Amino acid sequence: MLTLITGANGFIATHCIATLLRAGHSIRGTVRSAEKATATLSALNAAGVPHLETSLDLVVVPDPTDLAQFLPAAAGCDAILHLASAFTYDAEPGQFEERLLRPAIQGTRVACEAAKQCGSVKKLVIMSSFAAVYDAALGLQPGKVYTEEDWSPLGYAEGRDTDNVAVAYRASKVLAERTAWTYIKENDVDFQLVTLCPGMVFGKMIHPISSLKYLNASNGIVWEVAKGGNEIPPTKAPVWVDVQDLAETCLRALTVDLPSHQRFLVTEGPYDTQEIADVVREDIPAASKRVAVGSPGARIRDMHYSCDSGKVKRMLGLRFRDLRESIVPLVEQLYAMEEGERKDGLSAAVL
Ligand code: NDP
């Protein structure tokens, strides 16, 4: 089975590549430059991912929102796993349309169009987000249980005109996902659509990352706690899933026979920053010296909404690992990166 993975150099995408290659699949991955292709290959190699030479082909698609550039990459593929989208809070008001909304929406439309035009594509799996599900404006909503039936009400103008980048990101995800569902309603397609809506994704990284400065947004939440300080930062989006479990979810979404198009909520459960602090202080000696103590054992889960991920577990036969298993290896990796950067800084100062 040949799968096209868009945004192949990203945090989640590289885990999807590793999982699919281990399962014996062939992959074509899109990246936006030749440098990113080289860096991705070398990062996957360093992570011990098998079959890179025989089963992974990285192709440069400078603008994956351009159908003419995307189509040749999709040609002959059995499936598309679409991940490329800007998950960043590094954009200013006035830039949201260009930096977040347009790439997400247009990128999804092009993935749908390419899947239709190719003919060979039987599954299109799109990485949406819990951001496309919940209504942040309603606050914490204790007792509310989100399911696949829920949709964020954010519209285009709200995403474009807000002065809050998190609102713009959430709008980009819901509008992109709606684009896909509208596309299959309005077009006669031969492929099945699966959208995945994960909470915050944590876990050890195998993608190319040259410095902690470039940490992806979700692992940045863990780092904000683990790097230490006088206080534990507030919890922003309190549901999560591990990156390897999400990659396994992608593999099953691509391969399991499903009765129809599907939308899946993908979360292990709630987390909060106090829990991150507790776990890393318990398991990592270096963390116990620098991470704020806060109120050990205190949890905010009864104070906010929760999610029901029963559907994805049932239909795709999954179980998800717990927070400790996910973030301890990540924080060990982050401390090692920090130490490497400190040593590099020292040797640069000596030179
Ligand atoms: P990364 O930032 O690690 O990867 C993002 C990928 O998208 C990169 O390949 C990047 O390419 C590409 N990309 C960024 N901006 C654009 C653009 N304007 N046009 C085309 N491609 C672009 O993010 P993640 O791995 O965390 O996220 C992958 C997907 O999962 C995204 O769709 C994200 O919204 C979704 N998601 C992530 C969650 C998380 O917690 N991490 C939670 C829920 C959903 P380049 O390096 O060239 O910029």
Side-chain angles (χ1 to χ4, degrees), residues 187-327:
N187 292 273
D188 186 17
V189 300
D190 289 332
F191 62 85
Q192 211 171 42
L193 174 67
V194 179
T195 62
L196 302 176
C197 301
M200 281 296 167
V201 185
F202 301 145
K204 191 170 172 177
M205 301 168 291
I206 58 169
H207 68 292
I209 167 167
S210 55
S211 156
L212 286 170
K213 267 193 303 208
Y214 305 116
L215 200 53
N216 63 293
S218 51
N219 279 338
I221 292 173
V222 178
W223 181 234
E224 280 306 305
V225 180
K227 74 180 183 192
N230 295 331
E231 285 180 8
I232 298 173
T235 308
K236 284 179 191 141
V239 292
W240 81 286
V241 70
D242 174 77
V243 68
Q244 291 179 69
D245 291 337
L246 180 57
E248 182 65 29
T249 307
C250 291
L251 171 65
R252 303 221 185 162
L254 288 162
T255 51
V256 170
D257 267 340
L258 294 166
S260 55
H261 305 298
Q262 298 293 335
R263 183 182 203 221
F264 290 118
L265 199 51
V266 192
T267 67
E268 193 280 328
Y271 81 93
D272 56 54
T273 44
Q274 177 69 57
E275 188 177 5
I276 295 176
D278 291 351
V279 165
V280 298
R281 285 177 55 81
E282 279 161 23
D283 278 30
I284 305 177
S288 65
K289 297 196 187 80
R290 57 194 280 189
V291 173
V293 175
S295 309
R299 300 287 178 261
I300 62 169
R301 56 202 52 176
D302 292 338
M303 291 154 57
H304 63 74
Y305 54 78
S306 60
C307 292
D308 179 359
S309 282
K311 179 182 168 188
V312 77
K313 289 179 185 165
R314 253 186 339 269
M315 290 186 76
L316 299 183
L318 291 158
R319 62 166 287 279
F320 298 142
R321 71 200 68 198
D322 68 17
L323 191 71
R324 187 176 302 270
E325 215 181 317
S326 181
I327 65 168

Side-chain angles (χ1 to χ4, degrees), residues 153-173:
L154 287 172
Y156 196 90
E158 284 154 301
R160 182 192 56 204
D161 301 336
T162 177
D163 55 8
N164 180 345
V165 67
V167 173
Y169 171 70
R170 288 198 293 271
S172 80
K173 294 308 288 183

Side-chain angles (χ1 to χ4, degrees), residues 7 9 11-12 32 36 83 85 127-128 169 173 201 218:
N9 58 320
F11 164 53
I12 299 171
R32 295 202 283 175
K36 288 180 183 180
L83 290 133
S85 200
M127 193 60 70
S128 184
Y169 171 70
K173 294 308 288 183
V201 185
S218 51

